[in-house]
Amino acid sequence: MYLTPVSLKPPLSPEDYYSEESWELERRAVFAESWHLVGTASQLNRHGKFLTWELLGVPVVVRNFNGELVALRNVCAHRQAILAPKPSGCSPSLKCPYHGWEYGPDGRTRKLPGASNFPKFEHAHYCLDKFALEQCGDLVFVRLSAKGPTLREWIGERFDLLESWFSTRTHHLATHLKFELPANWKIPVENSLESYHIPFVHPKTFHEDPAEKNSTHVFHDTGTSFMSPFHPPRFIDYLLDRIEIWVMHRLGHPPVGMYSHHHIFPNLMISHTDTTSFVQMVHPTGPRSCLSTVWQYGLGDAGQNLFQRTLSWWWGKFTGFLTKTIVTEDISVFPLVQAGSVGARQPGILGRCEERLYESQKYVKDKVDAWKQARNGQENCQATCQTTNVERQQDGQET
């Protein structure tokens, strides 16, 4: 059931989906202390493996140093060259390709070619910034700000649930996808928060909206959730449902027959079925662009027999293909929404079925408003202090 009895007015305006001012405010207010999903421990499973990202304009390298996962600023402290230029790879050391400076897991230099050129070198000053890094199951997150919530606090009450869905003890990474999108980051996020579009965007895959009678919405402090039982409307859907149940039995797990979707404010989405766990992070890259990354896990672990592992692998590849198809269908409409936001005359309207979308927008607006209020308070305080100092100086001159 839906929780809202009436239609809703969007908290955000069309301008919030394309203006430079809104983008800069969101960078500071919404994402400053947020966590960013950057990869998986499975991808960084031995010494020297690394992943690189540009998070809100900050170059970051996430690397395995002898079993320890570390996130560092991907910029040499010497002449600011990028240390690891590839998206991923494996190297014996973190070494600058320009002058050969090498760094350890604490961000300090380990080898300094021609060290005599730098007398009384300040190791503590000329080092790499180190960022907070935490895991939820196999998922690896980075926080750019030195202060902020822990990952468990950011995810909230659903942390243990998500940790079990992305545990390599029971699941394996089946698919990893990346999509560069010509759309504001909120557009793909909001698309995932409602089923209203399904009959028109996914007529050959999902086919129809589960409707209110088959929908359960839940609001959390850190996001929202949607749950629905499987209700195959077509023979092909019924057949796939039967096949999934057969796969579940062969893998030794009882089928539950529920689909759930979870949103962690502001930009993390998780979908879960009996056999798959899907996580999507939408990374903002500008006022009208973003990067959507997807990791999908399949049920199954190395402790199973050869038949079970093979079955799990093939089912993971098949569901990964379905995921790519569905995501591609969604992507086709994002440019239309982006263009429409620029040409809109006034905000639209949100139906009861879009109440999760409303909560997402409200989170963004509340964060931005709170940041503005704090900034204005600081400016007023500074102005008051300056006025007081001037008055004191004048009083002193008069005396």
Side-chain angles (χ1 to χ4, degrees):
M1 299 292 292
Y2 305 143
L3 303 178
T4 304
V6 296
S7 57
L8 301 161
K9 180 180 179 180
L12 300 179
S13 69
E15 189 177 6
D16 291 320
Y17 291 77
Y18 65 84
S19 78
E20 288 284 349
E21 181 184 4
S22 294
W23 159 235
E24 289 300 327
L25 284 170
E26 288 172 0
R27 286 181 63 185
R28 291 171 170 79
V30 179
F31 294 102
E33 298 179 4
S34 186
W35 288 88
H36 305 267
L37 176 58
V38 295
T40 71
S42 301
Q43 296 172 294
L44 300 162
N45 58 1
R46 70 173 187 269
H47 172 72
K49 280 198 167 186
F50 66 86
L51 300 168
T52 63
W53 283 87
E54 184 169 307
L55 302 176
L56 303 176
V58 179
V60 177
V61 57
V62 182
R63 193 173 190 275
N64 184 324
F65 285 91
N66 294 308
E68 178 187 5
L69 299 186
V70 175
L72 301 167
R73 187 178 292 268
N74 191 21
V75 179
C76 184
H78 172 221
R79 294 269 296 280
Q80 291 78 52
I82 293 295
L83 293 169
K86 296 181 180 179
S88 62
C90 187
S91 60
S93 62
L94 182 59
K95 180 169 67 175
C96 179
Y98 195 7
H99 296 97
W101 283 33
E102 293 187 20
Y103 297 89
D106 58 357
R108 295 195 178 196
T109 53
R110 289 296 185 268
K111 289 184 180 180
L112 201 65
S116 61
N117 291 302
F118 305 92
K120 298 182 181 180
F121 182 75
E122 299 179 42
H123 287 272
H125 181 74
Y126 296 101
C127 62
L128 308 181
D129 294 329
K130 188 173 182 178
F131 303 112
L133 183 148
E134 293 185 26
Q135 289 182 228
C136 179
D138 195 41
L139 306 179
V140 177
F141 293 80
V142 169
R143 190 188 67 210
L144 297 178
S145 173
K147 65 176 183 177
T150 65
L151 183 61
R152 179 177 285 274
E153 290 169 341
W154 184 72
I155 292 176
E157 63 188 81
R158 292 167 288 179
F159 184 92
D160 292 336
L161 184 64
L162 303 188
E163 188 175 44
S164 68
W165 289 347
F166 298 99
S167 167
T168 52
R169 294 190 301 272
T170 55
H171 293 74
H172 64 92
L173 183 61
T175 301
H176 175 41
L177 304 169
K178 277 187 178 183
F179 302 92
E180 293 186 5
L181 306 176
N184 182 275
W185 69 272
K186 296 184 289 295
I187 291 174
V189 169
E190 293 175 1
N191 175 80
S192 74
L193 300 180
E194 48 91 359
S195 304
Y196 191 30
H197 68 279
I198 284 179
F200 314 100
V201 180
H202 307 290
K204 295 182 180 179
T205 48
F206 282 135
H207 186 62
E208 67 178 29
D209 181 353
E212 182 172 6
K213 65 178 181 180
N214 292 310
S215 301
T216 299
H217 287 179
V218 180
F219 296 166
H220 309 273
D221 290 339
T222 58
T224 63
S225 298
F226 160 80
M227 281 79 73
S228 178
F230 287 122
H231 60 295
R234 300 171 299 173
F235 175 74
I236 184 62
D237 301 311
Y238 174 82
L239 183 61
L240 288 174
D241 186 43
R242 295 296 96 188
I243 294 174
E244 184 172 39
I245 291 174
W246 181 86
V247 169
M248 287 287 294
H249 284 304
R250 295 303 177 275
L251 296 180
H253 295 271
V256 177
M258 287 290 292
Y259 168 81
S260 63
H261 181 274
H262 301 267
H263 178 211
I264 308 297
F265 296 141
N267 57 339
L268 181 69
M269 286 77 67
I270 301 98
S271 298
H272 180 72
T273 70
D274 284 339
T275 59
T276 62
S277 298
F278 165 101
V279 59
Q280 178 184 16
M281 173 67 83
V282 180
H283 297 270
T285 57
R288 307 188 193 193
S289 64
C290 63
L291 176 66
S292 176
T293 55
V294 172
W295 291 264
Q296 183 163 309
Y297 286 68
L299 185 65
D301 58 80
Q304 296 175 324
N305 60 44
L306 178 60
F307 169 76
Q308 290 174 318
R309 292 199 302 272
T310 303
L311 178 62
S312 176
W313 186 87
W314 279 107
W315 185 253
K317 293 300 178 185
F318 172 69
T319 55
F321 167 77
L322 291 180
T323 293
K324 186 176 181 179
T325 301
I326 293 166
V327 172
T328 302
E329 291 172 344
D330 282 323
I331 288 174
S332 67
V333 301
F334 296 161
L336 306 181
V337 182
Q338 183 63 62
S341 68
V342 178
R345 181 174 58 86
Q346 62 183 14
I349 185 172
L350 302 176
R352 295 176 57 239
C353 58
E354 297 168 300
E355 59 184 353
R356 295 180 67 210
L357 192 156
Y358 173 87
E359 292 297 315
S360 179
Q361 288 195 14
K362 186 175 183 299
Y363 172 85
V364 173
K365 187 176 189 304
D366 288 347
K367 283 285 188 180
V368 170
D369 288 347
W371 188 88
K372 286 181 178 178
Q373 185 175 6
R375 181 189 60 184
N376 292 337
Q378 291 175 352
E379 291 175 348
N380 292 337
C381 180
Q382 291 173 355
T384 301
C385 291
Q386 290 174 356
T387 301
T388 302
N389 290 335
V390 170
E391 292 173 347
R392 286 175 178 173
Q393 289 175 359
Q394 292 174 344
D395 292 340
Q397 290 173 358
E398 293 173 358
T399 302

